[in-house]
Amino acid sequence: MNARIHLGLIVATAMAGCLVAQDAADALKQRESELRQQLQSLNEQLTTARAAGLQGMKVNGQMLSPQQVRREAIFLVGAKIVEAKIADFFVEEWMERAIADGRDPEDFQVSEEDVNTDLRSRVAEFQEQNPGVEFWEAVRALTGLSREGYMQQTRQTELFNKVFFPGPAASWPNITKEAIIASASNDTGQQFWENIEKSSTDPETGEPRELPAFWMQLCRGWVQKQLKKWSDIRYPSDGLAPEVVLSVNGREWKTDEAFDMVRPALFLQDIERALMEVAVREALKQELSAKGAYLSDEEFRAEFDEFRKEYDDTPFTTEVIATAFKGYPSLEAYRQRWRLIRSFEKMIAADINDDNLAAHAEKFNRFFSDGQSSVDLIQFLARDVKTGAWQPDGFPKAKARAEAVWQEIENGGSFDDLLKEKGEFYANDESKGRLGYKSLNQLRQSLHENEFTDLLQGFSLGYHLFYDAEPGRIAGPMRGASGYYIARVNARTPARGTTSVEDARTRELVKQDFVTWRFLQWANEVVARAEIQ
């Protein structure tokens, strides 16, 4: 990127909706005027970067290579591709061992007919459940896979089955048996395995039979989970060189090769997020390093491995928590952020005391003690309402639609009528903007906000509506994680009790929230001073 751009300006754009909601419309218009030219230039550069496969950048004078930016795009949109590659490495390793032990290499051939048969079945099922939705566009939006990438993943699944699940359970290799036994809880693994063997044999004829599809899916998940636990898997946050995106038991996946797989499925918004994430993270890393607080590769790996022990022996593994509950696009994206937050926590260790935690618990007591807010939303999405795919110029167009409706409201139009007529909602969104009473986390979920998006946006629209927006008053248009919103807070309920940090469990919850809250405040300050080139 050639022109020098202050990163704070980019973040200010995301905060524009928050300023409107805080009755600073005049300040916003002046700010937007100052930003318009720089943002137009940035968009042009981002479009050029997409065609070129993402370029490098400088953050506060520190050069980041194109591989670092491309690698970020891989983990932001290609998480399923990364997981599939890990499985590929397992397949390669154990297929080589099986052939060395005497299995015929022909056993591992996957025919195109097998792939196409499976594909036809999936497409038919999808179209039955989602009439009018284009299958490949949905695949791109939901998985980050192009058509060819999806086909390759289907082949990989077939090959995985041939390596680890050949025939009836009695003929499965020892590694499969050991992984399934190890995955069972309460020391019942051996009995569980024996039940699987019995289920794969017809009790009357003694002939082998296939396990039900549901059980096969469970077995595949258990084997992959256990192989990952037994393997040495390294990500960029473990200190891999920029040209390497993944290492599994010494087998490396090169960044350029991985990016070639991701590139066909990238949306412009994905690239914008990748650029923003790399720039923000680098700025924060520089600040922490200058304070002597940034965890080294060795410290990070040791502390993260210790942290994840509590979760990885349960169904709610660290990866499940990161992606399903905290909204991160991949485990690696979570690891990178965790490293920053953990480093920051050490930097402010002296501030994490009972007095500050008690004050934080009191300030945000409605969150800790089950307060709720009733909110109605007219939303204008930057994504396709059928597939969830990013739309070309999605945010500018969503903003224009929101401003047109806002003008109607200012001219006396009914909020409720406009919500019904102009609101944009996904097919599975049952509330259609009538959210009712929700906790803070439930409200943020309805706004498609999460821990990952907060840092990139610089603020949380959900927090504003839950705590600050005036009940009964219409606020907007406000930018959020997936589009623009016009909102009305109908009412709020108070906290249902008080929050005491004397209880050890409660104190830990308050501490985690305090650190996250302070981290976001600090990050906004650092980002506002940062400069990219």
Side-chain angles (χ1 to χ4, degrees):
M1 303 175 68
N2 298 319
R4 179 167 291 185
I5 302 169
H6 287 284
L7 190 58
L9 298 183
I10 304 172
V11 174
T13 308
M15 296 181 69
C18 190
L19 292 174
V20 174
Q22 294 172 337
D23 275 341
D26 292 339
L28 171 64
K29 291 177 181 177
Q30 181 180 353
R31 188 60 164 161
E32 284 186 328
S33 177
E34 296 171 357
L35 291 172
R36 194 170 294 114
Q37 185 175 356
Q38 292 94 329
L39 291 173
Q40 182 178 353
S41 174
L42 176 62
N43 285 331
E44 292 172 356
Q45 294 172 61
L46 288 171
T47 302
T48 302
R50 185 178 195 272
L54 294 182
Q55 304 169 2
M57 67 171 76
K58 285 185 179 180
V59 178
N60 296 327
Q62 177 66 41
M63 186 67 197
L64 303 180
S65 70
Q67 282 86 358
Q68 287 173 274
V69 182
R70 293 171 187 171
R71 197 164 65 174
E72 191 60 40
I74 293 164
F75 282 104
L76 287 183
V77 302
K80 292 185 182 297
I81 296 175
V82 173
E83 288 303 303
K85 190 61 181 180
I86 292 173
D88 273 342
F89 282 137
F90 292 152
V91 166
E92 289 177 12
E93 179 180 350
W94 289 97
M95 184 169 62
E96 289 172 3
R97 295 191 187 196
I99 292 173
D101 289 340
R103 277 189 68 181
D104 188 341
E106 291 295 321
D107 291 347
F108 306 106
Q109 297 299 313
V110 177
S111 71
E112 287 305 304
E113 182 55 33
D114 288 340
V115 174
N116 290 330
T117 298
D118 182 73
L119 177 62
R120 284 192 292 269
S121 173
R122 294 190 193 188
V123 171
E125 181 180 359
F126 176 86
Q127 291 179 337
E128 181 180 347
Q129 296 175 354
N130 304 276
V133 181
E134 209 284 315
F135 177 77
W136 293 113
E137 194 63 25
V139 166
R140 180 187 179 194
L142 297 173
T143 69
L145 291 167
S146 64
R147 178 174 183 143
E148 179 52 40
Y150 185 83
M151 296 289 283
Q152 179 58 34
Q153 191 172 92
T154 302
R155 294 185 192 96
Q156 183 268 335
T157 300
E158 291 292 328
L159 185 54
F160 190 92
N161 289 340
K162 289 179 179 293
V163 172
F164 294 102
F165 305 100
S171 63
W172 291 352
N174 285 335
I175 184 61
T176 302
K177 175 180 176 180
E178 291 168 4
I180 291 174
I181 291 174
S183 296
S185 58
N186 301 324
D187 300 322
T188 59
Q190 184 60 43
Q191 181 180 352
F192 187 74
W193 170 254
E194 290 171 0
N195 289 335
I196 287 179
E197 284 189 306
K198 289 179 182 178
S199 298
S200 65
T201 303
D202 188 302
E204 295 182 0
T205 65
E207 293 294 318
R209 64 182 180 185
E210 292 185 0
L211 287 175
F214 173 74
W215 279 102
M216 282 301 302
Q217 184 177 355
L218 284 178
C219 288
R220 279 192 291 268
W222 290 330
V223 169
Q224 290 196 43
K225 176 182 175 181
Q226 207 59 38
L227 287 174
K228 288 170 73 172
K229 288 184 68 174
W230 291 337
S231 298
D232 179 22
I233 302 176
R234 294 182 181 267
Y235 299 93
S237 54
D238 293 306
L240 294 179
E243 61 269 17
V244 180
V245 75
L246 178 71
S247 172
V248 179
N249 296 330
R251 298 169 187 255
E252 293 184 344
W253 195 25
K254 299 299 184 182
T255 299
D256 289 343
E257 178 188 346
F259 185 71
D260 284 343
M261 289 190 66
V262 172
R263 186 203 305 262
L266 283 176
F267 294 94
L268 179 58
Q269 292 87 344
D270 298 324
I271 294 176
E272 290 172 348
R273 284 193 173 190
L275 289 166
M276 178 70 82
E277 176 73 5
V278 169
V280 168
R281 204 166 59 216
E282 175 63 23
L284 300 183
K285 175 184 174 181
Q286 290 175 10
E287 188 82 3
L288 289 165
S289 297
K291 304 283 188 183
Y294 189 66
L295 293 177
S296 68
D297 291 344
E298 294 76 16
E299 290 171 327
F300 162 70
R301 189 172 180 87
E303 293 198 23
F304 190 79
D305 285 348
E306 182 63 30
F307 162 77
R308 67 186 302 170
K309 284 180 182 178
E310 180 181 352
Y311 308 100
D312 284 357
D313 286 331
T314 74
F316 298 103
T317 63
T318 309
E319 186 168 2
V320 170
I321 291 171
T323 56
F325 295 104
K326 292 180 175 288
Y328 286 87
S330 64
L331 176 62
E332 172 61 5
Y334 177 67
R335 284 162 58 90
Q336 295 276 13
R337 288 280 190 86
W338 190 93
R339 186 175 186 175
L340 291 171
I341 296 172
R342 180 62 174 159
S343 299
F344 175 77
E345 180 181 343
K346 290 195 169 189
M347 188 173 74
I348 65 164
D351 294 343
I352 305 175
N353 54 55
D354 287 347
D355 289 341
N356 285 338
L357 295 183
H360 184 81
E362 182 178 0
K363 181 176 181 178
F364 297 104
N365 190 40
R366 289 187 63 243
F367 166 61
F368 294 112
S369 296
D370 299 323
Q372 295 186 333
S373 292
S374 172
V375 178
D376 290 334
L377 286 176
I378 311 176
Q379 63 183 29
F380 307 87
L381 296 174
R383 295 178 179 270
D384 184 277
V385 294
K386 289 184 177 180
T387 66
W390 289 111
Q391 294 287 77
D393 297 320
F395 275 103
K397 291 179 179 178
K399 181 180 180 183
R401 296 194 300 275
E403 288 177 338
V405 171
W406 180 256
Q407 189 62 51
E408 291 189 54
I409 292 173
E410 288 193 323
N411 292 337
S414 164
F415 175 92
D416 295 287
D417 290 344
L418 288 167
L419 187 157
K420 185 177 180 180
E421 296 169 8
K422 302 294 181 67
E424 301 167 8
F425 307 101
Y426 297 115
N428 62 354
D429 184 347
E430 296 180 357
S431 67
K432 297 295 187 286
R434 305 289 188 182
L435 304 187
Y437 282 97
K438 290 190 178 296
S439 67
L440 174 58
N441 284 339
Q442 290 171 332
L443 177 58
R444 280 165 52 76
Q445 185 177 16
S446 297
L447 290 161
H448 316 115
E449 287 185 348
N450 49 58
E451 186 175 297
F452 176 72
T453 63
D454 285 346
L455 184 61
L456 296 181
Q457 291 193 141
F459 77 105
S460 164
L461 178 56
Y463 270 81
H464 173 73
L465 295 176
F466 188 79
Y467 288 112
D468 302 323
E470 183 179 337
R473 185 177 178 187
I474 301 170
M478 300 170 285
R479 175 163 170 159
S482 294
Y484 278 80
Y485 301 85
I486 297 173
R488 180 180 65 197
V489 177
N490 300 310
R492 291 193 178 99
T493 65
R496 297 183 182 181
T498 58
T499 305
S500 172
V501 296
E502 293 182 3
D503 175 74
R505 180 175 173 79
T506 302
R507 187 184 191 279
E508 181 59 29
L509 292 174
V510 173
K511 173 194 160 187
Q512 291 177 12
D513 194 69
F514 174 76
V515 171
T516 301
W517 176 69
R518 285 281 303 271
F519 174 76
L520 289 173
Q521 286 188 318
W522 167 80
N524 279 341
E525 295 171 1
V526 173
V527 166
R529 301 192 302 267
E531 192 175 78
I532 64 172
Q533 193 175 5

